Amino acid sequence: MNQPTTILKGVVERITYTNPDNGYTVARFHADHRFGLVTIVGALANVNPGARLKLEGYWKTHPKYGEQFEIVRYVEEMPATVEGIKRYLGSGLIKGIGPIMAQRIAEKFGPYTLEVIESNINRLAEVDGIGPKRVKMIASAWDSQKQIKEIMLFLQSHQVSTNLAVKIYKTYGDNSISVVKDDPYRLARDIFGIGFLTADKIARNVGIEADAPQRIAAGIEYTLNQLADQGHAFVPREHLVPEAAKILAVKPQQIEAQLEALQREDRVKVERMVPFPSDEPPIEAVYLNPFYYAEVGVARQIRQLLVAKESRLAPFAGVNWEKAFKWLLTTRNDGSELAERQRQAVQMALTHKVSILTGGPGTGKTFTVQSILHLLQGKGKTALLAAPTGRAAKRLTESTGHEAKTIHRLLEVSPSEGFKFQRNQDNPLEGDLLILDECSMIDLVLMNNLLKAVPPGAHLLMVGDADQLPSVGAGNVLRDLIASQVVPVIQLDVIFRQAADSTIITNAHRINRGEMPLFPRHKQDFYFFGQEDPEAAADLIVDIVARRLLRKFGIPSQHIQVLSPMHRGVVGARTLNEKLQTRLNPLRYDRPEYRSGSRVFRVGDRVLQLRNNYDKDIFNGDVGHIENIDLEEGEIRVEFEGRSVVYELSDLDELTLAYAMSVHKSQGSEYQVVVLPMLTQHYMMLQRNLIYTAITRAKEMVVIVGTRKAIAMAVKNDKIAARWSALKERLRQT
């Protein structure tokens, strides 16, 4: 930048926007002397309202937002006035001091407040409401803050955000700076929220060359992880090498050389694969170790179960099934009788060691499972029921009357022992039949851990809808098991009369056949509102959720879930969340709120957990409500299914608003009403299995907002994104 820089001093008035990934911030700044209130933009790390800054930068004019001060570098200074000190301490900077306590402290010690905290902190006990315990908490937080400040100064030029810097300090403590200097790529491996791109930016700035072996190795692993996030268990070598070379801006030969080194160091697995069908040419498959061992493990354990001679359900081998089904009919109060394919599914589950029951909504999967459980009870046998998410497990419990657990809880995950599962081959599960629901959601790694815990004599029944979206994690387990043809499968395809009365179920099956959904005027369970303009569509969705459904049907917003095909965009989940929060839970001056980057959290907000947190016993996809925000303690309390979970403010990147969510995140859930935007701007995600999954999440009503063209695009696009997986080939190996 050739233009001369200017020095600006003043106080941060408010933070307008912060990018949590790189620290880029837009703020209103009360500058000293003649400037007054101005807009400042640039990388600001760990800066809160009330902070006094000395900025170096230059003035520029933004075509939309007008005059702004672009920050080149800055120094944080201690506030000089009592009002500045009060705002500085009350900003949430120090755990144990909130706005009210900050005012008391500042009024007590005036301009000497920060000097007292720095050199004689025990004097805080002179302030009303501060006892020895709180003094100790504040002292610890102040000391940590000083150490974090050193890290912040070091990371400032690398545009690392406040939250990530706090996480670095929590992970490495006093070794933080040395780790960042010596092995910055370690950050991407160790810390949730720091990816390769952030670590690479730091690495380049601390002097690591573009062709350094450690950078190329980390870049290869990053490329593999990126593709695993898209569902791939492995990547063909011929695809991986040019992709990694493009990302790293190095030569393919350098990737090849480092790939060999990674293989020697046992950081990746490379295996020659013969695809099925075998008329396709062999490929060299490159795996990250966890996915290789998971794929091999799932195939081995399924085959072992299939050939194991021991059976805990051996009494069913000699059952007279006509009598068994008559007994079932006489013991039912509703007189419901199993259809022929349902009978076949019951026999399959009770006489085959491993089996799969699949089918769309309304085809009787639940009724079939209930019948299996009833027959087990009749023989004195036991079943374990599990599902991938808490919401899916709750639904399974309600529909069967038997307790169902999440897979993680069934396997007894232990945070104190490195998050290992306590149930495994050495400590197997104890039931006679394990019933897994929503199996389309189960990825390779989780299925491998689950199968380790299934004893040789037990039976395994996997239940799921193979036409739904595949798992978020790597692999395509349910589809691969079905395609392998080594596991017996029953597909239910008859829609029962009660279900046929539902337009939701009728349309789900129409969509699956490639037919457009119907919007019958005489039914009140499936609606379409035409709207081409994305902004108008977003506003209409908010009005439907906040006002229209309540006024017409008496359905409150807490029973409505907005599902979007995408995160980004005007009608993406992110923007819709902001609009819905503003309408449904606006700022109230009698309730605290907390800003984390560009997001605002308020008491009463519906929130979604974004990762598995074994310490808190909360898992990716769990939905809760914010019960309390305590800025003095630096904590937010969230209620999940009747259980309160406490988050420190620095951990809020694990949460996001959940008034709207992606269709992928809704898997395994059921909502009274689903509102679904379908516009052509979503064209990249307009697939048949996506719209099918979205509408089958609704129990009573679906409302689609958008265009018939977008719906048609989704219905016609039955090309399921192929995933690189070799599970079906491994299953077919003898």
Side-chain angles (χ1 to χ4, degrees), residues 149-321:
K149 287 285 184 187
E150 292 180 22
I151 298 171
M152 295 298 179
L153 289 172
F154 173 74
L155 295 177
Q156 180 185 325
S157 61
H158 309 303
Q159 297 189 329
V160 177
S161 72
T162 302
N163 282 346
L164 295 188
V166 170
K167 286 176 178 290
I168 291 171
Y169 179 74
K170 279 186 175 180
T171 304
Y172 305 119
D174 294 339
N175 297 321
S176 297
I177 291 177
S178 62
V179 168
V180 170
K181 283 182 176 178
D182 298 339
D183 189 9
Y185 296 105
R186 185 176 163 190
L187 305 180
R189 297 194 297 270
D190 294 348
I191 302 175
F192 174 76
I194 296 184
F196 169 81
L197 297 180
T198 300
D200 192 42
K201 190 183 297 181
I202 296 169
R204 302 303 300 278
N205 279 314
V206 297
I208 293 176
E209 296 296 330
D211 59 354
Q214 68 185 105
R215 178 176 184 264
I216 295 174
I220 292 171
E221 290 176 323
Y222 167 72
T223 307
L224 288 168
N225 271 307
Q226 287 291 100
L227 290 161
D229 287 344
Q230 296 173 27
H232 301 296
F234 68 83
V235 183
R237 188 175 191 138
E238 64 181 6
H239 181 91
L240 173 65
V241 170
E243 184 71 13
K246 183 173 72 174
I247 289 171
L248 294 168
V250 297
K251 295 177 181 178
Q253 299 93 305
Q254 293 172 293
I255 301 294
E256 290 279 9
Q258 199 55 43
L259 188 55
E260 296 296 332
L262 285 170
Q263 200 175 353
R264 288 194 300 272
E265 295 167 16
D266 197 29
R267 288 168 64 181
V268 300
K269 289 282 187 289
V270 181
E271 187 171 294
R272 186 174 183 273
M273 297 296 308
V274 178
F276 171 73
S278 56
D279 55 355
E280 295 182 23
I283 57 174
E284 271 197 284
V286 184
Y287 289 83
L288 288 169
N289 284 355
F291 303 122
Y292 173 81
Y293 290 115
E295 191 175 87
V296 170
V298 169
R300 183 185 67 250
Q301 287 156 168
I302 289 287
R303 290 201 309 270
Q304 287 175 347
L305 281 171
L306 285 168
V307 301
K309 294 182 179 179
E310 180 189 351
S311 171
R312 294 183 179 180
L313 300 183
F316 286 99
V319 160
N320 182 321
W321 288 103

Side-chain angles (χ1 to χ4, degrees), residues 582-647:
T582 300
R583 182 76 172 269
L584 299 172
N585 193 23
L587 172 64
R588 283 175 45 179
Y589 292 103
D590 60 338
R591 283 186 174 184
E593 66 172 38
Y594 181 74
R595 183 178 293 274
S596 176
S598 59
R599 299 171 301 163
V600 176
F601 291 104
R602 296 179 180 134
V603 173
D605 277 337
R606 188 190 306 172
V607 291
L608 174 74
Q609 177 74 13
L610 295 174
R611 64 180 288 244
N612 291 339
N613 188 319
Y614 300 107
D615 284 322
K616 292 181 169 64
D617 197 25
I618 294 294
F619 302 100
N620 186 359
D622 286 349
V623 174
H625 290 83
I626 295 178
E627 289 183 308
N628 186 49
I629 298 175
D630 190 330
L631 295 176
E632 293 197 4
E633 297 293 334
E635 295 174 345
I636 286 184
R637 191 170 71 247
V638 181
E639 183 264 325
F640 291 95
E641 300 284 350
R643 189 165 63 90
S644 286
V645 177
V646 174
Y647 292 79

Side-chain angles (χ1 to χ4, degrees), residues 32-60:
D32 296 344
H33 308 306
R34 62 185 177 85
F35 293 106
L37 198 60
V38 300
T39 297
I40 59 174
V41 297
L44 291 175
N46 202 36
V47 168
N48 296 275
R52 182 166 183 81
L53 306 179
K54 177 184 177 182
L55 309 175
E56 182 181 346
Y58 55 90
W59 294 99
K60 68 175 187 177

Side-chain angles (χ1 to χ4, degrees), residues 8-13 27-31 36-38 40 53 55:
L8 204 61
K9 291 186 178 184
V11 176
V12 177
E13 186 75 19
R28 294 291 279 168
F29 186 74
H30 201 286
L37 198 60
V38 300
I40 59 174
L53 306 179
L55 309 175

